[in-house]
Amino acid sequence: NMMAAGGDLSSRIAALMLLTTHVLAWSPAAHPPPVCSTGVLPEPAAAAAVAAAGAERCARLPAVGSRGGVARAVMTTDPPIAVPGRMSKLERMRSRYGVAYEPEGGWAPQEDAISYADLEAGVGDIASFSRGDSVTGTVLGFEPNGVLIDIGVKSSAYCPIGEAALEKPMRPEDVFDLGASYEFLIVSREDENGQQLLSRRKILTVQAWDQVSEMMAADKAVEGTVAAVNRGGAIVTVEGLRAFLPGSHYLPGQNPPEELVGQPLKVKFLDVDRENNRLVVSHRKAMVDQTINNLNVGSVLAGVVTAVKPYGAFVDLGGMSGLLHISQISCDHISDVASVLPLGAPIKCMVISQDKSKGRVALSTKTLESEPGDMLKKREKVFEEAEATAAKYQERLEAERKAREEAAQDVIFGLESVFVDEPADEADADAPSPEPAAEN
């Protein structure tokens, strides 16, 4: 058995060497390529027959279907590469598989192949945008944290919910309508999927700054919403932008209370600085303009004494300052203003004159006294009865005005009667006297 085994092994080695020599000496014109499908090396005597059978079998391979028609598998050799370092598709398939795909009728000539330029022309121009470009897009659909937008490129763009509005909405459906078009700003390059990020908030921010700049130039009062209150003042949302309201510009001697959060508030702009993102507003300034427009002589206003001078006191009337001269405090003589009207004291006074163009208002408490000297003796009573006393004062002024008008009319009528009677008397004097009757 050992000898038999050894002989069998020797024959196998000899057959392998013979086959190797045959392959090395093989040429495409003289010998077909050997094919072995059994997995067992043949005897030396049958090596040539196996090779011939393999060549015949490969020649009889059936045709296979392809998209371009009928094709067949062709046994290949290792011909030289046409261009060293660059293999064609056919050369690569022959080198890799030994069987090449060949369509019916052969391969098309190289000049008929489609170039990249032809492919690009056939596809057409595809729009592309860079970061910072402004585009108009259509809402395609909603996602939990954003919106898909069609901007006319190969892939839909995406707008996160935080960039959907000036203030982050609860849902994207709250600020966008399906199928509607909006203006966006490109804020990123394309990712690996060709998608870009959009921002609607940046577009709205630019528009809001333009609006507040126009409002400040026109000195226009607007309505904002108090978002937060702190020791220095309050944060007010105006046209979607966050503005600072200093405590000194709320109301005289008062800071904005916590109850003001979420409430509307009339303000005017003090500073609009887009470059530094600074916006400052004033509620007091808005109230001053409103008070001046609604102010009339004879109106009774409540205020606070903000300054005391030797010639009188300055009273803050809800953001507007008025002068209460020492001669208008009381009918009695006053030597020290501070003793009657201390700093910070609440007060009621009547408007006796105003200059709206300069914002000046003259005040009086003397006109609110029921009896002369009440401001020195019964100041609280004067303030309690201020409205009633002012009404009586207005009635007295109206009666005096009518009396003056009637007196003026009487004077005018008297002068008219004088000028009418004098020409009549002169005409009578100039008329000739009648002649005496003739005597018979």
Side-chain angles (χ1 to χ4, degrees), residues 53-260:
E56 182 181 359
R57 187 184 304 115
C58 289
R60 295 196 306 268
L61 286 174
V64 295
S66 65
R67 293 184 181 179
V70 180
R72 61 189 181 89
V74 181
M75 286 300 298
T76 63
T77 64
D78 291 331
I81 300 175
V83 181
R86 294 181 61 185
M87 299 177 66
S88 66
K89 181 178 179 182
L90 182 60
E91 291 170 347
R92 188 179 298 108
M93 293 183 67
R94 283 175 176 171
S95 173
R96 183 177 301 173
Y97 304 110
V99 178
Y101 166 80
E102 182 175 327
E104 185 179 11
W107 292 98
Q110 188 67 27
E111 58 270 15
D112 296 338
I114 299 177
S115 64
Y116 283 105
D118 296 336
L119 179 62
E120 184 177 358
V123 173
D125 295 334
I126 299 178
S128 62
F129 300 100
S130 302
R131 184 166 53 185
D133 292 344
S134 178
V135 298
T136 299
T138 304
V139 178
L140 294 178
F142 299 108
E143 293 190 354
N145 295 318
V147 188
L148 293 175
I149 307 295
D150 178 18
I151 58 175
V153 297
K154 59 185 178 182
S155 180
S156 61
Y158 183 74
C159 179
I161 191 171
E163 296 293 327
L166 288 173
E167 297 182 10
K168 183 178 179 181
M170 297 296 296
R171 304 180 308 161
E173 294 90 333
D174 297 338
V175 293
F176 292 114
D177 294 328
L178 191 63
S181 298
Y182 302 90
E183 188 178 1
F184 298 90
L185 189 71
I186 305 290
V187 296
S188 75
R189 298 185 179 91
E190 293 184 358
D191 59 10
E192 63 275 8
N193 298 320
Q195 190 175 67
Q196 292 178 296
L197 294 181
L198 305 179
S199 174
R200 175 72 175 158
R201 181 182 62 85
K202 293 182 181 296
I203 295 291
L204 296 177
T205 300
V206 173
Q207 296 176 356
W209 277 106
D210 291 340
Q211 290 177 358
V212 298
S213 298
E214 294 175 359
M215 291 175 181
M216 182 176 181
D219 195 28
K220 183 179 180 181
V222 298
E223 187 173 279
T225 303
V226 179
V229 173
N230 52 40
R231 291 185 297 177
I235 302 298
V236 182
T237 302
V238 183
E239 298 295 326
L241 301 177
R242 294 172 67 86
F244 177 62
L245 172 67
S248 59
H249 279 271
Y250 174 57
L251 288 177
Q254 301 182 39
N255 277 334
E258 291 287 345
E259 295 77 13
L260 203 61

Side-chain angles (χ1 to χ4, degrees), residues 322-363:
L323 174 62
L324 176 60
H325 195 266
I326 189 172
S327 61
Q328 291 293 330
I329 296 178
S330 178
C331 293
D332 289 354
H333 175 72
I334 296 177
S335 57
D336 185 14
V337 177
S339 62
V340 182
L341 298 173
L343 187 65
I347 186 176
K348 282 187 178 182
C349 46
M350 178 188 289
V351 178
I352 57 175
S353 67
Q354 63 174 336
D355 186 348
K356 292 185 178 181
S357 61
K358 297 182 179 180
R360 295 178 180 176
V361 179
L363 306 173

